[in-house]
Amino acid sequence: MKVGTNTVVTIDYQLLDASGALLEEEQGIAYLHGGHGGLLPVLEAAMEGAAVGQEVRARIEPDDGFGHHDENAIRTEPRSAFPPDVKVGMQFAGSPDGSDDMSVYTVREVSEDAVVVDGNHPLAGQTVEFVVTVRGLRKATEEEVAHGHAHGPGGHHH
Ligand code: ZN
């Protein structure tokens, strides 16, 4: 069996930065392959046809992954809009224009009357590489295809 449309793929992955340093790693993640948004599209394309035990590497440019650094996503907000204990590094979900389009903002600076928040993804502007090892493959159930995600170990639990 190989990775293809509507297979449930169990993977281990490492995420490396452009210099090869480890940013993140996870084991035993299950996703539904075939354009359901389980992985970045470029990574899914690289996974197509892989077999159990195979290692797949995919380099992700900012356009295909976490986006470019956007100066406009760095905003200065009144201190009064934040909890009293606001600290650098805290994260808040919000939408700059009051729409339903929520982003995660990370606090960069706190002064007496203002807080600077940054809505860029932490990996924005970076070229990264995923190193994925295929650990398991099975055909998705009809229910998984209908839901658009994998169930069971490493997947969604309802
Ligand atoms: Zn489900």
Side-chain angles (χ1 to χ4, degrees):
M1 190 172 182
K2 291 191 159 50
V3 174
T5 300
N6 296 338
T7 51
V8 171
V9 189
T10 303
I11 58 170
D12 298 343
Y13 77 85
Q14 294 186 320
L15 178 61
L16 310 178
D17 73 10
S19 71
L22 183 67
L23 296 170
E24 194 180 304
E25 64 181 331
E26 293 270 5
Q27 269 108 40
I29 305 294
Y31 81 95
L32 176 61
H33 188 89
H36 299 282
L39 299 181
L40 290 171
V42 174
L43 183 54
E44 269 208 19
M47 294 291 294
E48 189 77 31
V52 172
Q54 196 172 328
E55 183 184 274
V56 175
R57 288 177 169 258
R59 188 173 274 276
I60 313 289
E61 304 290 341
D63 279 335
D64 298 322
F66 303 105
H68 293 273
H69 191 81
D70 178 8
E71 282 303 313
N72 294 322
I74 300 172
R75 306 171 63 86
T76 302
E77 303 286 352
R79 177 75 176 75
S80 58
F82 291 84
D85 60 347
V86 63
K87 279 200 265 313
V88 170
M90 286 174 101
Q91 293 189 316
F92 296 91
S95 81
D97 47 11
S99 72
D100 291 337
D101 201 8
M102 298 288 272
S103 309
V104 173
Y105 287 86
T106 305
V107 175
R108 295 285 176 226
E109 282 174 49
V110 179
S111 67
E112 209 169 304
D113 51 8
V115 174
V116 178
V117 291
D118 184 349
N120 286 292
H121 189 281
L123 296 174
Q126 291 194 46
T127 297
V128 296
E129 186 175 36
F130 278 98
V131 182
V132 179
T133 307
V134 180
R135 293 297 180 204
L137 281 175
R138 63 172 171 82
K139 196 173 182 299
T141 64
E142 278 176 30
E143 190 185 46
E144 288 173 317
V145 174
H147 288 194
H149 54 228
H151 292 160
H156 282 250
H157 299 275
H158 293 281

